[in-house]
Amino acid sequence: MQGLIADIDLLEEEQKQAESCDFKTTEDDNIVTKRKLYIESYGCQMNFSDSEIVTSILKDEGFGTTSSPEHADVILINTCSIRDKAEQTVRKRLEFFNAVKKKNRNVTVGVLGCMAERLKSQLLEEEKIVDLVLGPDAYRDLPKLVKQAENGEKGINTFLSKEETYADISPVRLNSNGVSALISIMRGCDNMCSFCVVPFTRGRERSRDPHSIVKEAQDLFDKGYREVSLLGQNVDSYKWSPEENNKARLDKKNDSKEIVNFANLMEMVAKVSPDLRVRFSTSHPKDITDEVLHTIKKYKNICNYIHLPAQSGNSRILELMNRTYDRHWYINRVDAIRSILGTECGISSDMIAGFCSETEEEHQDTLTLMDYVKFDFSYMYFYSERPGTLAAKKFEDDVPLEVKKRRLQEIIDKQQEVSLERNQLDIGKEFEVLIEGKSKRSNEKMQGRNSANKVVIFEADLPKGSLATVKIIDCTPATLFGELV
Ligand code: SAM
Ligand code: SF4
Ligand code: F3S
């Protein structure tokens, strides 16, 4: 997910993804007689990572995968509730699956993820084709509920856990390029950003056992993967200790009250191999520490790229959003990144246009923040009120839709401008690029990313997963073009 992503009209990006099959199961050709699972995922990387856990759970029950819902015995849709349009997209997909079910009455249809958690049994009532509803912490129950559904009984489990991290489950990598993989390091979120539904759909924050994370990274490296992305809603608050996690371990090392913070965890993963790139997302401006920045600097294989969502450039709006930092604090963190990691470190953001009571001047503050930081790219949205959130309870959603859309367009235009400026600075420079495969547009060209997470296209014929040194000769706001050195 790179470049300018915004939901200005009918979730264009999500629609494109739905058409491009990027996030659907592919055919597991090996065993034709197995029962088949078709799974489709929406939302953030954590959801994509969860789908890999779900597939693993069903694989242990003898399921293979299929890329076609028509050939599936079980269809699962892993959903997102972050904005209203995300839920609308899922409703449309359920209409499509309804048509599939009319042709094949035996297929079981399940809704997983954040929308399942938010709407609970309401989903079973509203969407007649749905046989099972499972929240993000209930996936171990899936085999039981699938069996029930096959016997004609609808099932639901939306229990949110304080402990579940699926640490022991080895995810089945879906649609993998064989080079980069996602590793979930924590679940839930304890921040209460007033606009956000995630704390309600994902529950309390909990960190996964670091030893299981390192083991997963090592397994991936042994299988040929060369990049891992450590995922959490707020990775900087990662904290694990045997006591806190209620997992008193018997070995001596853990008896010594081992506490692992995010900087320690990154270091542990970076040590798996200098040839394994380490990425992470998402960093929270209130929590990112200089210790984390120094750890990034210390290890060449920890990528120089930080996704640090600002949301707004105005301190009053940030306070209403309950982000617990102000413009000054945000700028201070960016300055720390630039001074410790240098100007080449990639920084990206999420931006929300038209939050409750936002004035034109306050919107201008977002644009001037973008001018100051010069984000390499951003995910940009207009505010969508979510039922049950603090903002929905306390504030009026009073910025008219046309105004929200116009402000979002101004934010998108500003991002295009600063992305191009940032990319032009790279012309003439040489970067190490991890090759992900052929370029989507040309068979003669390869595509990869540099440490700052920028997509680099260049002419070559090299294997996926290898590193190439590329000199940049041209760019657009979203891509660097180069030649092999
Ligand atoms: N945990 C991450 C953080 O705090 O930066 C982000 C998580 S959220 C899944 C991804 C982004 O969706 C947020 O950063 C925010 O920009 C956007 N978002 C969340 N709720 C929204 C809402 N109600 N309306 C519009 N955008 C929203
Ligand atoms: Fe939502 Fe805020 Fe948590 Fe991010 S940090 S998931 S925006 S509540
Ligand atoms: Fe969406 Fe849930 Fe992720 S609401 S963005 S899938 S945590």
Side-chain angles (χ1 to χ4, degrees), residues 189-193 195-199 233-234 284 311 323:
C189 182
D190 280 353
N191 295 312
M192 276 298 213
C193 302
F195 52 78
C196 186
V197 79
V198 173
Q233 292 297 355
N234 179 2
H284 196 296
Q311 313 295 358
R323 288 289 287 179

Side-chain angles (χ1 to χ4, degrees), residues 83-100:
R83 285 166 292 276
D84 183 49
K85 282 176 188 163
E87 293 199 356
Q88 284 176 28
T89 307
V90 168
R91 300 268 189 191
K92 283 208 191 91
R93 289 304 283 166
L94 286 173
E95 274 173 33
F96 169 71
F97 295 141
N98 200 11
V100 174

Side-chain angles (χ1 to χ4, degrees), residues 42-48 78-83 86 113-115 136 196-198 201-202 233:
Y42 293 83
C44 60
Q45 287 182 313
M46 305 232 37
N47 241 21
F48 287 71
N78 196 357
T79 61
C80 174
S81 283
I82 202 83
R83 285 166 292 276
C114 291
M115 205 171 153
C196 186
V197 79
V198 173
T201 61
R202 293 261 163 183
Q233 292 297 355

Side-chain angles (χ1 to χ4, degrees), residues 454-473:
K454 293 188 182 178
V455 173
V456 183
I457 310 273
F458 57 102
E459 227 167 90
D461 189 11
L462 293 165
K464 275 200 298 190
S466 54
L467 286 171
T469 306
V470 179
K471 183 173 180 176
I472 305 307
I473 52 172

